[in-house]
Amino acid sequence: MHVSCVKCKIEDILEFSKNVDEVFLEFLSRFDQGLVSETGISEGLEDEGIVRAENEIRNMIGKNNPDKITEEILYSKRDYVSEYKVLKNPEPKMGSRVEDFGLDDSISDYLKEIKIEQFYKFQEEAIQEVLFGQNIVIEAPTASGKTEAFLIPVIQKIKKDAVSGNVFAIFVYPTKALSRDQFPKIQNFADKIKVDVKIFDGDTNQIERRGIIENPPQILVTNFDVMHYHLWHQTKFSSLLASTRILVVDEAHVYSGIFGSNVHYIIKRLKRICSNKLQFVAASATLEDAKEFCQKIFGEKMQIIQGSGKKGQTDFVMLFPSLRTQRALMVELTKKMTQKNHKTMVFNNSHLNSELLAIQAKKQKINIKVHRAGLMARYRTSVERQFKEGRLDAISCTPTLELGIDVGNVDCVISSTIPVNRLIQRIGRAARKGQKGYAFLALGNDPISQYYKNHPDDYFEDIEKTYIDPKNPFVEEFQVLAMACDRPISKHEIKEHQEVIEHHIIKENLLVKNNRIIPNFDKINSMLNEYSIRGIGNSINIFLNEKKVGDRVLPIALEELHKDAIYFLAGIRYKVKEFDYPKKNYAKLERIPRDYPYYTKSLTEEWPTIETIYERRKAKGVEVAFCKLHIQKKVYGYVNIELGQEVTQGEKVSLDSPLEYDFVTKGIVFHAPRPLKIIEDAEDEDYAEASGYHATEHVVIEGSNMITGGVSQDLGGISLGTSGLIFIYDGAIGGSGASKALYDRFENALERSMHIVKECPCKNESGCPRCTFSYRCGNNNEFLHKYSSLEILERINSGEKTELIDPSEGDRPLL
């Protein structure tokens, strides 16, 4: 731990402890003994590998010529510089001239008018394939001309084949905000060619809706939530969709997890009601497996076309915050960049982090606002507009702004740890207009960041694995009901869902009438109305002064909104004064003083039961199974965490009555070998063994994060006492596919986990936030043994064999 005084510049490095007060007392004692240097400790820091030596940084820079601000950051001696490089995109390959392409004259004339005289090679290929009727995936970075690559051939087909008064193509975007942002661009193009395009979403007013139903446009811009709702309600709008010939899905990489599983079924339902065979076009950011992923979503063979972006050059720096927290580093970078009038976007990986960063940045007088899902749409739009117009210097955002929403010129992107392909997507925001850009990857105080500090090259290899699980039983159950509502199911149809259909008939959710299967609306109406395609499970409604200000899905809501929890909303903290669950499902907030020093983190307990084993295999020598799990979850208390500190403070507080929730999901289970050497030397054998398994569970989840495409936030974990059984499961009800991605790459995850523990310089028996701790730990990061975990991981990686066993009641679950 690093202790310093900003006024007199004294500083010292001490051994990590969970109790900050102990560390500070040790520092005062060393100061009194004259052991604390007033000239700083930079020499020792280089030897310890805490900061880089100047000659190493010079070698890293090589022949590049960073400007003053980048140089200042590289030589600051505040952080470890893991990587510096200048990202230059090669000029994209050019294709045919527009006039030689044989397009309708009105299209060629308009392209000339907007100064497009020649296509990029990938645009030419995409246009040709769409015109030939092929299903394609266009994979290219932000602002590379993807929209033109699908819009031009669709308009050409409309000019040639379309019947007026029918919807010919549907353009789907993942959010209302993005479709509203892209609509003017599509409309300008279409209007010039005399093609009718309209947008239909939750914000479309009644007069506009009536106009669309009476005079259907040739291109309809919408989202999957709207399609799902109107299909199963059999509205007039849904009958317009039957004439569709082409479905275009932009930002297809977003449809991962539960959302993607639902979208798979909505597309299947659209195919059922369409009178023509549908053609599919997907546009996606760079993915490792874009083709396979899209084939799963659309249920069709697809062809991939890859494009590159046209950019200025970007100075890229990967920094590891050796002497401070990740957030402190990100705030300082934001301050440095905004002081030089560089418009900056700061990407955080969670709601909480985006709020905490904005609170700390405002204290530093930075003109910054939060942009994240869960805030009211009007507020988000005003933040985008202020940034675009130059009235806001920085935005603290979550991945919602990774998508193509136009926020104007961006000079700098600062990002917390995410898979490299998503980082490139974020960096695509900087220098979009050809000017010089800046990009900073701020590694965290966590296991995977420590790994990348020592292995930066691996970061660039770890491309995201997107995942969906079309066989999620809950998604399938709901979507089969929705199919019957869209249109009765005939006996010979959808044989692959026969089992689910029979289950619904027994439960009388579906009825058999005249050889057709129809919905029992009285019984299933409320069930379908409560269902969200973006996540399964009920929500807790959040109120402030009797007005609804948001909602949070279960079970995560129990951890964030229990009585006396501190909840963040648009950069302001509130306290939960009343929580009603499971009857009325609401939380009421109250304001707290601005200088209130804490926020809260819940303490939880969980118990897993294996219901079905789908697959099992050996990884190294360890038996691992992919299975259906039943999880019983209990929130029994919380701890206070001081703002600006990442270490828990104060005593645990128990809730008057614990909150309980149980759900079915998918996950993996493996049997870890016993750490026999550590057990032999331990005073408390059971503690050393159980704490070793608990630490291993943490490291495998955190350390596998980028191998599986950044899915660790979608995973939960339980180690069962001294049994050696470790469960890692999908946090989403029914399963999201995240644990399957880990199951498929389990050997890699085990190897990397061993490196993380082995290479962490901490001497603490329980480890530290950079090896064994997890910010999601339900046990307050207690019962952790670094050396026991290292022995377990070394035994696994050397091929020691284990078999799966049954859990026994006496084992204490550690999370």
Side-chain angles (χ1 to χ4, degrees), residues 137 288-297 302 304 465:
V137 183
E288 182 194 42
D289 52 353
K291 182 179 171 180
E292 292 80 0
F293 176 65
C294 288
Q295 286 181 166
K296 252 189 192 172
I297 282 192
M302 312 280 286
I304 191 150
K465 173 106 178 127

Side-chain angles (χ1 to χ4, degrees), residues 734-777:
S736 61
S739 60
K740 183 67 167 73
L742 175 58
Y743 178 78
D744 291 341
R745 300 175 170 198
F746 198 49
E747 286 83 352
N748 277 2
L750 293 169
E751 220 164 281
R752 185 162 293 187
S753 301
M754 180 179 72
H755 282 292
I756 286 167
V757 182
K758 209 176 204 169
E759 291 168 6
C760 185
C762 79
K763 308 280 189 295
N764 206 13
E765 183 186 85
S766 60
C768 73
R770 292 172 179 175
C771 56
T772 58
F773 286 24
S774 165
Y775 71 91
R776 283 184 295 275
C777 179

Side-chain angles (χ1 to χ4, degrees), residues 78-120:
R78 297 290 310 278
D79 309 285
Y80 185 89
V81 181
S82 295
E83 185 69 277
Y84 164 74
K85 51 170 73 175
V86 177
L87 303 176
K88 294 177 186 170
N89 261 6
E91 276 298 310
K93 289 182 187 156
M94 301 309 290
S96 305
R97 294 184 63 76
V98 170
E99 60 197 34
D100 302 335
F101 213 76
L103 294 169
D104 189 275
D105 288 346
S106 58
I107 299 175
S108 300
D109 292 345
Y110 178 63
L111 289 170
K112 209 171 286 177
E113 197 181 304
I114 59 170
K115 307 280 188 293
I116 296 178
E117 292 179 4
Q118 190 176 5
F119 292 121
Y120 295 132

Side-chain angles (χ1 to χ4, degrees), residues 603-608 636 652 686-687 689-691 693-694 697 717-727 777-784 807-815:
L603 298 169
T604 57
E605 272 178 12
E606 288 168 19
W607 183 264
Y636 65 87
K652 296 176 193 172
D686 284 356
Y687 174 84
E689 185 173 7
S691 300
Y693 298 135
H694 185 207
E697 172 243 305
I718 304 167
S719 65
L720 279 188
T722 54
S723 69
L725 287 175
I726 295 176
F727 295 80
C777 179
N779 296 100
N780 200 22
N781 284 310
E782 291 168 355
F783 305 100
L784 295 170
S808 62
E809 280 296 327
D811 290 319
R812 176 179 175 181
L814 297 170
L815 317 187

Side-chain angles (χ1 to χ4, degrees), residues 338-349:
T338 52
Q339 280 174 341
K340 300 281 185 197
N341 294 322
H342 291 309
K343 292 177 73 182
T344 301
M345 290 177 79
V346 190
F347 282 98
N348 305 271
N349 286 355

